[in-house]
Amino acid sequence: MTPKLIFDVHLDLAWNALDCNRDLRWTLERIRRREIGMTVKGSARNTVCFPEMRRGRIGLCVATQFARYLPYFGREPQTSQRIAGYFSPEQAWAATQAQLAWYREMEGCGEMVQIRSRAALDSHLTRWLNLPNEKPANLPIGYILSLEGADSIVTFEHLEKAHAGGLRALGPVHYGPGIYGHGTDDQGPLTRRGRELLKAMELLDLILDVTHLCDESFWDALRRFRGPVWASHSNCRSVAGWNRQFADDQISELIRRGAVIGMAFDAVMMVHGWAHGRSQPQDFGLRIEKICEHIDHICQLAGNTRHVGIGTDLEGVDDSEFVY
């Protein structure tokens, strides 16, 4: 039976539309045909657009803003040819505002609707859940705005402005070192600015997204932060051994804090031994069902199903290494 609504808690829609130059109102076939022959990694391999989201009943998502500050390119892990970095936080802020403008345009043409409150959420869910199963959805897709990596927050006045514009969740870091802490493949606690950021987030009742925090920054953040927590797109280290995933003690702490962990569909986050740029899903007999092992592991640790969801990241860095 087709579900009436699926909630995907991590999609980089605006980044994908602007940096990859994709009109997400187009059909998947049309987008892929336009990219045939392009040499940029991931070309003609995208999986998400508004028609496909509606066909799959993904009527609600956490949609991101994403822009990095990269003062030292040589120190940064290069996860994709498409990741752009900026030489100042001010440039990164401007990029996130362009992404916000794209979301506003999609609202204006009826493709999306921003969810800023519980009342707006309840209203949106009612519209989708009352839609007959046999009819494809023509309703706007709801989105909750999140910021992946906080390098673009130049001052805390910028954070207040972002919140006024609908920002409801924030992850302090991405890969490597950042202004506010240390991310994937790096090590170290939050910076002084990172500790101040958590205090400002508490005052605004923003959700802390612990995805991408390295182990030391993860524990530092959870010791200090008293507000709501989630992990939008992270898997289990016991099933896929890499610091990008959570160890069991981290998962247990997130469960204790009432968090939900969204399962990501990047192959490197699903199995042991994946090599970026060399491995292929067929090398591991890898299918989408593998994610069920991660889901089951969290459910076993929790003793229930309330702490796991999906955060596919299928409009993420590079869809050529994602599992469908």
Side-chain angles (χ1 to χ4, degrees), residues 229-291:
V229 177
W230 72 27
S232 62
H233 57 304
S234 297
N235 294 350
C236 304
R237 198 175 300 180
S238 65
V239 185
W242 177 31
N243 62 66
R244 172 68 178 79
Q245 281 70 255
F246 290 131
D248 284 1
D249 59 343
Q250 294 173 305
I251 295 171
S252 295
E253 178 61 18
L254 290 174
I255 292 168
R256 190 188 72 80
R257 294 285 292 263
V260 172
I261 304 168
M263 301 289 94
F265 287 62
D266 190 341
V268 70
M269 295 176 60
M270 294 175 71
V271 294
H272 293 301
W274 183 275
H276 266 309
R278 298 193 300 274
S279 295
Q280 295 294 324
Q282 56 266 28
D283 300 338
F284 296 82
L286 185 56
R287 298 178 61 84
I288 198 170
E289 289 84 353
K290 180 70 175 179
I291 203 66

Side-chain angles (χ1 to χ4, degrees), residues 74-147:
R75 295 179 58 200
E76 294 295 325
Q78 297 301 305
T79 56
S80 168
Q81 297 172 16
R82 272 185 166 149
I83 285 186
Y86 299 94
F87 284 114
S88 72
E90 289 81 2
Q91 288 169 279
W93 169 260
T96 65
Q97 298 314 290
Q99 292 166 2
L100 182 60
W102 180 82
Y103 286 121
R104 296 286 185 258
E105 287 300 310
M106 293 302 100
E107 291 181 67
C109 60
E111 295 287 345
M112 303 186 78
V113 60
Q114 189 176 33
I115 307 298
R116 299 186 182 211
S117 66
R118 178 59 185 267
L121 176 62
D122 289 342
S123 175
H124 182 73
L125 294 179
T126 297
R127 293 181 69 190
W128 270 82
L129 293 175
N130 287 340
L131 193 74
N133 276 335
E134 66 273 11
K135 293 184 179 180
N138 292 312
L139 297 175
I141 295 165
Y143 76 100
I144 299 166
L145 190 62
S146 178
L147 179 63

Side-chain angles (χ1 to χ4, degrees), residues 26 28 46 65 83-84 152 162 205 236 316 324:
W26 289 6
L28 192 66
N46 67 300
Q65 295 168 289
I83 285 186
S152 61
D205 201 26
C236 304
Y324 324 128

Side-chain angles (χ1 to χ4, degrees), residues 8 10-17 19-20 22 41-42 45-48 64 66 79-80 82-83 148 174 212 233 264-266 311-322 324:
D8 190 330
H10 187 84
L11 288 173
D12 298 304
L13 295 178
W15 177 86
N16 203 267
D19 285 55
C20 300
R22 289 167 173 162
K41 198 174 182 182
R45 293 294 303 273
N46 67 300
T47 60
V48 172
T64 70
F66 173 67
T79 56
S80 168
R82 272 185 166 149
I83 285 186
E148 184 172 18
H174 193 233
H212 279 298
H233 57 304
F265 287 62
D266 190 341
T312 63
D313 203 14
L314 282 175
E315 280 300 322
V317 170
D318 171 24
D319 287 351
S320 65
E321 291 187 353
F322 280 68
Y324 324 128

